[in-house]
Amino acid sequence: MSSDNSDEKFVMDPDHGEIPDLRNSKGHGFYCFKHDGVYLYIVHPSVLKGVRPADHLRSIKEAELKDDDIFICAYPKCGTHWLWEVIEMLKSGTIKYQKDVKETRMLELISKDGIEAVPQPRVFNTHLHLRMLPKQVVEKKIKCFQIMRNPKDACVSFFNHCRDMTPPYDYEGDFVEFTEAFLSEKMAFGSYSTYLLSWKAEVAAAPELPVLDLFYEDMKFDPVKTVKDVARFLGLSSTDQFCEEVADACSFKKMKKVDQEMKGDAPIKIWADGKEGTFYRKGEIGDWKNWFTVAESERFDQIWNAKMKDSGFKFTYTPV
Ligand code: A3P
C-alpha cells in the first residue's frame, strides 16, 4: 500500500466544523467528520492532493462524467470488490483481472481531477449517498448498481475490516460495541438502515436514473445468473460461455489469490502493520451466526426491523 497515514492524528480545519466525538463509554469510536448528515472518515489531505475533506466532497459533485461511466453504490462490505471485478471483465470482454485495486476508482479517495482523469471505460464505486455523487450521475442518467447484503453479515464483515485498519481509523472496541454503533448513526458511513432508506428515497426522486439492484446472497447462490443480469443491464452482448467464465474467474478463491499476487497499491494505507486486514476474509452467507449470541441477534432484529419494517427491503440470512 502506498502513503502512510499513521504518523499523527491530523486535525480538521475549523472551517469544516467540529470533529464529533464518536466514542462510546469505553472510549472506542470512529475518526470521522459529519458531512451532509453522514459521518465519513476524515481522509488525510495528502491522499486528496491537498484538498480538505469537505471541499473534496463538495468538488466531486461538480465532476465531469462520461456518458458510459458506471457507478457501483453500496454500503461498506456488501460485495463492491466482487461486483467491480465482474463489471470490469464484462466491459473489457476479456478474462483479465484489473491490476489496479478498486480503491483507485473510489470517489471518497480520489480528487475531482483524479476522477476526471481515470481512463475509459470507467467503473467508479462509492459508499456515499446518491445526493452526494456527481450531479451528472442523474443528469446524464449514468448506469448505477446498488449491491446489498444482509445487515448481520455486513456488520460482521465491517467489524473485521475496521479493527484491522491503520490508525487513526482502526476500531478498538469489541464486536458487541461495534454492533451498537452499527445500529446507531454514530458510525463511519452512518447506519446501514439509514443508507438504504436514503438510497430508496433519493432514487425515487430520480425516476429516470437506471439502477440495477443486486444482492450479495443472490450472487453467491447463482453467480452466473447475476453476471448475465449485469451484462444485460449494461447492454452488452456477452455470450453465456463468457458470463460463466467471468463468474468462475471472480470466485472468492480466485479473487483472493489475485489480490495477494498481483494487485497494485491503494491511494491510502488501509491495513495496519501486523494485522491480517483483507478484503477477502470468508466470503460466505451466514457467518454472523459465529458472532452473535441468540440474544444479541434478537436485539439486532428488533432494532433493524423497527426502522425497516415498511421499507420493502428483504434479506437472506442463511445459505440454504
Ligand atoms: P467477508 O468479510 O464476510 O468475508 P466489499 O468488497 O464491499 O468491501 O465487501 C467485502 C466482503 O465481500 C467480504 O466479506 C469479502 O470476503 C466478500 N467478497 C469479496 N470478494 C468476494 C467473492 N468473489 N465472492 C464472495 N464474497 C466476496
Side-chain angles (χ1 to χ4, degrees), residues 117-264:
V118 172
Q120 286 175 272
R122 304 152 10 133
V123 187
F124 294 109
N125 65 93
T126 183
H127 304 316
L128 298 176
H129 292 219
L130 181 57
R131 66 180 181 280
M132 301 175 186
L133 304 191
K135 289 181 200 154
Q136 288 192 353
V137 168
V138 173
E139 288 166 7
K140 292 194 160 189
K141 302 186 184 70
I142 297 293
K143 286 189 173 153
C144 293
F145 292 85
Q146 172 62 237
I147 178 150
M148 296 168 270
R149 187 179 192 184
N150 85 61
K152 290 182 188 169
D153 280 332
C155 179
V156 168
S157 183
F158 205 4
F159 171 65
N160 281 283
H161 178 116
C162 292
R163 68 176 182 178
D164 286 356
M165 284 175 91
T166 196
Y169 304 108
D170 54 330
Y171 186 76
E172 293 169 335
D174 63 23
F175 180 65
V176 173
E177 292 169 62
F178 186 88
T179 304
E180 285 302 308
F182 186 88
L183 289 167
S184 77
E185 299 303 326
K186 292 190 159 190
M187 173 74 197
F189 300 106
S191 75
Y192 189 21
S193 48
T194 297
Y195 173 85
L196 288 173
L197 295 175
S198 301
W199 175 262
K200 192 176 174 188
E202 288 163 17
V203 166
E208 292 186 8
L209 185 70
V211 179
L212 184 64
D213 285 343
L214 295 173
F215 287 90
Y216 178 94
E217 292 79 12
D218 292 343
M219 215 160 150
K220 279 291 289 187
F221 289 137
D222 195 344
V224 175
K225 178 181 180 303
T226 301
V227 171
K228 287 180 184 172
D229 290 346
V230 170
R232 200 173 310 115
F233 176 71
L234 294 176
L236 301 170
S237 49
S238 317
T239 63
D240 286 358
Q241 192 194 330
F242 183 62
C243 289
E244 282 164 28
E245 287 170 14
V246 170
D248 179 62
C250 293
S251 69
F252 177 78
K253 235 171 148 179
K254 290 194 175 164
M255 281 186 63
K256 187 176 175 84
K257 188 162 183 281
V258 162
D259 184 59
Q260 288 162 343
E261 291 176 359
M262 63 155 278
K263 287 283 184 181

Side-chain angles (χ1 to χ4, degrees), residues 13-24:
D13 187 298
D15 284 357
H16 290 64
E18 297 285 311
I19 298 182
D21 189 353
L22 296 186
R23 288 172 300 176
N24 65 11

Side-chain angles (χ1 to χ4, degrees), residues 77-81 149 157 216 250 252 279-283:
K77 314 318 292 175
C78 293
T80 305
H81 286 78
R149 187 179 192 184
S157 183
Y216 178 94
C250 293
F252 177 78
F279 286 108
Y280 304 90
R281 191 184 61 92
K282 274 195 159 180

